[in-house]
Each structure stands twice: as C-alpha cells, then as structure tokens.
Amino acid sequence: MKKNVSDIGWNFSNSYTSFSETMYTRISPVPVKDPSIVIFNKVLSKELGLDFTNLSTSSVAQLFCGNVLPEGSEPLAQAYAGHQFGHFTNLGDGRAIVIGEHISPKKNKFDIQFKGSGPTPYSRGADGRAVLGPMLREYIISEAMHALGIATTRSLAVVKTGEYVFRESPLPGAVLTRVAASHIRVGTFQYLASKGDVSNLRKLVEYSISRHYPHIEKEENLAIALLNEVIKKQIDLIISWMRVGFIHVVMNTDNMTISGETIDYGPCAFMDQYDNTTCFSSIDLQGRYSYGNQPIAAHWNLARFAETLLPLIHQDENEAIKIAEQIINSFKSKYEIAWLKMMRAKIGFFGKEGMDSMLIHKLLQWMHSSKADYTNTFCYLMGHRLGNIKSYQETTFIDWHKEWQDRIKRSKKSESEVLSMMQSVNPVIIPRNHLIEESLQDAEKGDLSRFKKMLKFLKYPYSYQEGLVSFQIPSDREYKTFCGT
C-alpha cells in the first residue's frame, strides 16, 4: 500500500508563528510544472525520522517542490535585515519558504526550508526561483562540510521543476530542501532593533535561548548570556573554516546564524594555494570577506549583534555600551587562543611551547611564498606524497621541517599518537572548486555520475580511499564566484 505525505513521519511544531506577523509572512510555495527528483539524501532523511520507502518517486518530487505540503506544515517567509558588505538594508526570504519546524526522534528541532520556491513579499522584484547548478552546489558543499565536522545547514533533496529560469540565458529550474537548526540570524535581531521593537526583541532572545542554548535559561541577564554563547559558537565556526581552507565569501550579517551553523553556499569556495588574501568573489574587489579577513568580519558582525541587544543589556545606554564593548573586545584574544590550538593540532604539536606560534607562521609564510597547496601540505606532513613536488625540496622548507621534527620529539608522544591527532583535523579531500564546477556542468546536462562519485569521496574526508588521488590535485586556473544565481 502506497503511503501519502502525511504518513512518512513528519512531526511539526511551528513555534516561530508565535511571533508577531511583522516578522514573517504566511505564504505557500508557487506550484511548478513537472517536478522530478535529481538527488535525495536518504541518510539525512533517516536521521530526521522520515520514511519515504513506500512513497512513489513522483510523490516525493511533488512534496519537495512544494506542490503538495505535508499535514502540520505552516509555510512562511521570514523577514530580517542585514549589513551587506557594510551597508544596512531590510531583507527577508526572497526565494525561500520555511514549511515548518520538524522534530526528529531524538527531539531535535529543524527548520525545513524550500529554496527556489517562488517569490515572496521580500523578493524585491525578483522571480523567487533558483537554478539547478547552484542548488546542487549547495547540496554537495553543505554535505561535505557536515562530513568535515563543521556546523552547517544540510541538504535533503534537489528537485528539478520542469521549468526554465531566465538569468543571462534560460537555465533549468530547481528547488533545494534545506535543513537547519533554525534560520534565526544576526539580521533577524537587526530587523527588530531597526524598528525599535524591544518587546519582540526580548521575546526573540528568550526564543533563541530556548531553541539553541537552554543551559543558560536561568542566567540573570539573558541578552548578555546569549551574546557570550553566540561569540563562542562563531569562534568555533570560523576556526573550523580556517582549518580546512573554506571561504564563505559573503559574510553579511544576514548570513550569520545565531545557532552557529554555516548558511548560504552560493559563492563560497575552498582555497588551493595558501594565500590569506584569497577571496574568489567577482564583486568583493576590496577583499572584505577574504580567507584571512573572516575572523575580522565575524568580529564586526558580532559587534552589530551586540548593538541590537543594548536595550536588554542595561537600562542605562552608556552602561549597556560599556558592558557590550567589554564582551565584544574579548573576541580577538579568544579567537587567537582557539586558532593557535587548532594549528597545533594540524601540525601535530602536543602541549605548548613559546616558539609554536613562530613555527606555525613560518610554515604559512613558506606556503604563501612557494604557492603551496594548503590541504596537500598537511597531507605531506602526515606522510602522504602526491607526486614529486619540488617546493618540498626547497631549503627553507627542509630547514623548517627539521625544526618541526625536533618540536614533535620534545612532546614525547609516539608517532602513532601524533599522526592520529593530525589525521583527525586534516582532510585529505576537500570540494575542489574546479571539480565541483565540472561536475555541475555535467549535471545540468543530465549526467550526475561525476557529481555522485565526488559526493561519495567527500563523505569520508579524513580517510584515504582507492581512486582518491584525482580529487586531490589542485587547479592552477583562476577561479571566480558569482552571486545572484
């Protein structure tokens, strides 16, 4: 007997609708012509407690394009604001609709969102649609980030709509199903603060804590407690990005989640040759969101978050500013401590020595001057060789390598202990930009073989697998990313 969409395990509890409707608009996805499943995440669906095994393929497609909505869903588009490249503006879900908050068997709550599901009141004249390539891009990179152990939204499905979306040329339309701990952003708080809505702002603080940080619900000042928790989460997130060479590219405040998850994989990329100024963006000409500027951008965004909380931090504005500045100013030292700890793990240093920072920076300086691949250099230190790369035979690197080995010996740890630590934080495969683009070009023509093969390897980024080498080789081609897809 075939199941219907109400029998597969959906368990909706839509708490966001308790807010004033100034914060969202109830709206349903716009129906599409001829949906078909492109890719479906069976592992994630199982984690969510959903069972699609007895549902026809066409029914699954109808569900994940929004033509049919499951019982209990309450679709809405969220309003928010944001500083985009430093400039404040009111925004909102222009092409995304949260159909509801699903509670998994482990009692975790997730937003289920359709991206590319049609225009909303926040679309600002756009069509609200998405095209296949970028939706598959978000699918593969978000799943790769999850496998890397980095906090991220997830991808449950990509469905072709059977319609064309017009950009510079007609492109196949698609809808992505995004799964997130929530879609509450720094920009959500900015939206309320800009309206002077202290009542809903206080409620949003309480709601965010209840949903993401219940362990601080008894704190005397919830705004201060939330600010401290979000700072911790963002430091952890940026450190993770830096660890694997990930560059978000669009770190606007509307793309910083309160939960600490990576969100929005439009123009993101991974660094090949090590260079702190690596940016990739076609529009970020000043490198505001370059690899090395990501902690600076996070610090700036958190300051904007703190500004929204001032009325709740203290009734006296001057005192509130003083308290907020003290908390925000702690970011730099906390980040530097966390970064050094992460880099020690990447090169196998147990314990602490005063010269560790100098040794780490010497390695990074050599990588930059030699145009060495970031990921593969750490693979080399773990004993994995990718051909006869001349830069590792340079005197500067050989001298550093000796200093490194001497430092390893002083820790008095076994080779297996050192290697185990390094292997736990250094991926042997990342989503190489050129390979992602090639797989997406094939996918747009209907051939997902390369895409699925790459996805298979990316599921186990810290393990060597047969046939992996072709996915480890960097490209020397210039790479640019674009927004608005």
Side-chain angles (χ1 to χ4, degrees), residues 397-462:
F397 180 76
I398 292 172
D399 291 343
W400 178 88
H401 197 269
K402 186 179 183 304
E403 288 186 84
W404 172 68
Q405 287 182 314
D406 290 341
R407 167 65 175 86
I408 293 286
K409 290 174 183 175
R410 290 197 297 273
S411 70
K412 296 181 180 180
K413 296 289 183 178
S414 67
E415 286 185 15
S416 61
E417 287 176 301
V418 171
L419 185 59
S420 178
M421 179 168 67
M422 293 177 71
Q423 288 175 332
S424 70
V425 295
N426 289 311
V428 296
I429 180 174
I430 57 171
R432 296 280 178 182
N433 306 318
H434 65 290
L435 297 177
I436 291 287
E437 294 303 321
E438 289 169 5
S439 70
L440 294 181
Q441 288 170 13
D442 286 355
E444 288 179 342
K445 298 172 185 175
D447 181 4
L448 264 74
S449 57
R450 195 188 310 212
F451 180 90
K452 290 182 176 180
K453 184 178 181 181
M454 190 172 187
L455 184 62
K456 180 181 177 181
F457 278 107
L458 289 169
K459 284 182 179 179
Y460 306 99
Y462 300 103

Side-chain angles (χ1 to χ4, degrees), residues 89-108:
T89 185
N90 280 310
L91 300 161
D93 290 329
R95 61 170 177 175
I97 293 175
V98 176
I99 66 164
E101 301 159 23
H102 170 72
I103 300 175
S104 74
K106 293 184 178 181
K107 305 304 179 185
N108 295 316

Side-chain angles (χ1 to χ4, degrees), residues 233-307:
K233 284 287 188 178
Q234 289 300 323
I235 288 175
D236 288 346
L237 182 64
I238 305 302
I239 289 294
S240 295
W241 291 359
M242 303 297 278
R243 175 173 62 84
V244 301
F246 175 78
I247 306 166
H248 188 281
V249 180
V250 189
M251 286 183 65
N252 298 325
T253 55
D254 54 293
N255 286 332
M256 177 178 276
T257 63
I258 299 304
S259 67
E261 288 185 329
T262 313
I263 192 172
D264 195 347
Y265 288 96
C268 68
F270 282 78
M271 181 170 62
D272 289 326
Q273 297 177 355
Y274 177 79
D275 186 341
N276 242 359
T277 66
T278 304
C279 184
F280 295 121
S281 175
S282 61
I283 61 173
D284 188 5
L285 302 180
Q286 304 303 315
R288 178 184 177 91
Y289 300 137
S290 65
Y291 173 76
N293 279 346
Q294 291 184 131
I296 297 170
H299 190 184
W300 193 90
N301 289 350
L302 287 164
R304 305 291 75 75
F305 179 49
E307 287 171 354

Side-chain angles (χ1 to χ4, degrees), residues 41 44 138-139 142-143 153-157 176-179:
N41 194 332
L44 178 55
E138 175 156 343
Y139 186 103
S142 63
E143 289 306 295
T153 60
R154 302 283 303 277
S155 296
L156 182 57
L176 169 85
T177 301
R178 175 194 278 165
V179 178

Side-chain angles (χ1 to χ4, degrees), residues 195-210:
K195 294 180 175 299
D197 189 348
V198 177
S199 176
N200 270 313
L201 191 65
R202 181 178 286 106
K203 184 176 179 180
L204 184 59
V205 167
E206 294 169 353
Y207 178 86
S208 299
I209 289 172
S210 175

